Amino acid sequence: MNILITGVAGFIGSNFLKFYREKNKNDLIIGVDALTYAGNIINLEKEIENGDIIFYKADIRDRDKVEEIFYKHNVEVVVNFAAESHVDRSIHNPQIFLETNVLGTHTLLEVARKKWCCNGKWDEDKLFLQISTDEVYGSLGPQGYFTEETPLDPHSPYAASKAAADLIVKSYSDTYGMPVNITRCSNNYGPYQFPEKLIPLMIWNALNHKELPIYGDGRQIRDWLHVRDHCEAIELVIKRGKRGEVYNIGGNNEWKNIEIVKKLIKILRQKTGDYGIGEHLIKHVPDRLGHDRRYAIDASKIRKELGWEPKINFEQGINITVEWYLQNIDWVKSVITGEYLEFYNKNYNKK
Ligand code: NAD
Ligand code: TYD
């Protein structure tokens, strides 16, 4: 199979590449990434060196380039991770979210349609897999779960751009019969996550005895899933998913943000013996605009239909994740340069 992974230099994309390559030695893997602040070629260094991937620095909005890659490598499956992914950035500058997440996805769909469709007939082995998020469903109260039938009700510009992309993907299935799937996953954690997201940001700040900014009361709830479990679910959808369907993916693992931060402090103190790391670093800062209160996924469909279930329990997962960051401090230092640092200093690091 010739599989195109977009956003392959980002957090989930690079984890998926490593996971998928290990299990599918004979597939041709083509990777595309624009290498924005969030995409780092060092995440793929080994795979590029070993010839495990043919990598292109390319923008999914660049139709000519995308078309060239599709035809040159006879792309059969697209897994679209490429996106602007950080809610806070979408609040400051929504434009790029619409351009990449909506128009970029549309460009990929158009090229796939041209390449794969002849007279309304589609080969069974083709697939456009859109990697989406539970944030498209909006926010829950204290009870209940998002199912695949929950109406879309996105709140942040990020979530709205992902919901728009989902609807365009669906329209290509409904209108042209394109073989598609959409997966909607809860919050991921694990290695190679850019240190602007909650878990790696808190680890990095704590190690440097910097403030740990908690938005509002910190009692917002997220459903955390180790990235490897997400990758397993994606592979199952590629191989056995019923085309045209949406699959929710989640860890059934709800935590309040403040609990996560306190847990990280405890683990870091134990692992480093550094007692300068403590709850005194926690600082409640003004809440995120439009902050969703609770996300929680009902993943029973993928469990029943494809036999997926998360394998990494949170205690184990969070410990190995902290360990990874401790052993890869140089990685953290190398990615928080340039554009990210400028943005971070301007918006969050005024002190
Ligand atoms: P990320 O920000 O770490 O990676 C995104 C990658 O896309 C980066 O490598 C970036 O360089 C690349 N990219 C951005 N704009 C591009 C463009 N125009 N052309 C080509 N490449 C471009 O994000 P992530 O956390 O790895 O998320 C990957 C996907 O999974 C996203 O679509 C996101 O919406 C979705 N998702 C993420 C989570 C999560 O918790 N991180 C949960 C559910 C779904
Ligand atoms: P984040 O990792 O940005 O993921 P998402 O917004 O996609 O869920 O944030 C996770 C939660 O942590 C979210 O409720 C916002 C909160 N948060 C903070 O309280 N402080 C921070 O510095 C960050 C980055 C996030």
Side-chain angles (χ1 to χ4, degrees):
M1 194 162 78
N2 299 348
I3 176 169
L4 172 66
I5 306 176
T6 70
V8 71
F11 164 46
I12 309 178
S14 61
N15 275 282
F16 182 72
L17 166 65
K18 293 171 206 304
F19 171 86
Y20 191 85
R21 172 47 84 209
E22 203 180 294
K23 297 188 63 194
N24 300 274
K25 302 259 189 269
N26 295 323
D27 285 5
L28 179 72
I29 305 182
I30 306 110
V32 159
D33 201 294
L35 300 180
T36 68
Y37 78 93
N40 291 283
I41 194 81
I42 50 170
N43 300 359
L44 319 173
E45 215 170 36
K46 275 202 200 102
E47 287 74 19
I48 293 175
E49 256 173 35
N50 295 342
D52 283 334
I53 182 177
I54 302 172
F55 176 74
Y56 292 92
K57 179 179 185 304
D59 195 306
I60 59 165
R61 293 168 294 171
D62 181 346
R63 182 168 174 148
D64 290 346
K65 190 71 194 170
V66 171
E67 208 164 292
E68 184 193 316
I69 295 166
F70 255 75
Y71 281 81
K72 184 163 178 198
H73 299 291
N74 186 27
V75 169
E76 295 165 303
V77 169
V78 176
V79 189
N80 184 28
F81 293 100
E84 289 291 335
S85 67
H86 191 38
V87 172
D88 294 326
R89 284 174 183 262
S90 83
I91 294 167
H92 286 93
N93 178 20
Q95 180 84 22
I96 186 67
F97 284 74
L98 301 184
E99 288 173 10
T100 284
N101 300 2
V102 186
L103 299 178
T105 300
H106 179 247
T107 302
L108 291 170
L109 285 165
E110 266 302 281
V111 173
R113 181 163 80 96
K114 186 174 164 197
K115 174 81 170 71
W116 294 345
C117 182
C118 16
N119 305 324
K121 288 214 166 66
W122 296 83
D123 295 340
E124 284 296 306
D125 60 349
K126 304 289 191 287
L127 170 64
F128 191 100
L129 173 53
Q130 175 68 3
I131 305 299
S132 188
T133 163
D134 59 358
E135 304 195 25
V136 298
Y137 296 122
S139 185
L140 290 164
Q143 307 295 327
Y145 296 90
F146 297 133
T147 73
E148 289 80 358
E149 313 306 323
T150 302
L152 303 189
D153 181 24
H155 296 143
S156 70
Y158 162 68
S161 70
K162 293 295 289 185
D166 284 11
L167 292 177
I168 294 167
V169 172
K170 179 181 181 300
S171 80
Y172 271 60
S173 168
D174 294 347
T175 306
Y176 306 114
M178 182 184 272
V180 308
N181 283 116
I182 298 170
T183 55
R184 296 188 180 133
C185 191
S186 60
N187 284 62
N188 284 214
Y189 69 97
Y192 298 101
Q193 186 166 34
F194 197 83
E196 64 184 349
K197 304 279 166 60
L198 181 74
I199 289 179
L201 178 76
M202 295 299 157
I203 294 173
W204 176 246
N205 279 10
L207 287 173
N208 290 290
H209 299 176
K210 283 169 72 177
E211 276 172 3
L212 308 177
I214 299 283
Y215 300 162
D217 64 6
R219 298 171 69 79
Q220 304 84 0
I221 291 173
R222 298 291 181 265
D223 172 0
W224 292 93
L225 183 72
H226 193 276
V227 64
R228 190 178 168 88
D229 282 325
H230 187 188
C231 292
E232 280 202 0
I234 293 169
E235 191 198 25
L236 273 177
V237 172
I238 294 172
K239 301 222 159 129
R240 305 221 318 271
K242 189 168 163 227
R243 300 303 174 234
E245 295 288 308
V246 174
Y247 291 97
N248 280 355
I249 304 166
N252 200 12
N253 178 42
E254 293 179 45
W255 292 89
K256 295 186 181 79
N257 294 335
I258 187 77
E259 292 170 337
I260 296 271
V261 173
K262 287 183 178 169
K263 191 179 261 300
L264 288 170
I265 289 170
K266 209 167 139 206
I267 299 173
L268 281 165
R269 276 168 76 106
Q270 272 166 5
K271 285 191 186 291
T272 63
D274 176 353
Y275 292 99
I277 299 173
E279 291 186 10
H280 64 280
L281 294 173
I282 291 176
K283 176 151 191 241
H284 288 266
V285 299
D287 209 350
R288 176 186 274 176
L289 298 177
H291 200 169
D292 289 336
R293 197 69 184 164
R294 174 170 170 258
Y295 300 146
I297 281 275
D298 175 347
S300 51
K301 178 174 171 180
I302 192 169
R303 209 167 46 236
K304 281 190 202 131
E305 286 187 17
L306 305 183
W308 175 84
E309 55 179 33
K311 293 188 178 136
I312 303 175
N313 78 48
F314 192 58
E315 262 339 290
Q316 177 198 4
I318 197 78
N319 268 283
I320 54 175
T321 299
V322 171
E323 196 60 48
W324 187 88
Y325 279 93
L326 289 174
Q327 285 175 11
N328 289 275
I329 286 297
D330 286 348
W331 177 87
V332 179
K333 285 183 188 154
S334 76
V335 301
I336 52 171
T337 52
E339 196 188 333
Y340 170 65
L341 202 60
E342 260 171 50
F343 176 89
Y344 183 81
N345 286 339
K346 203 163 109 204
N347 294 294
Y348 300 113
N349 219 12
K350 298 199 173 101
K351 278 182 47 158

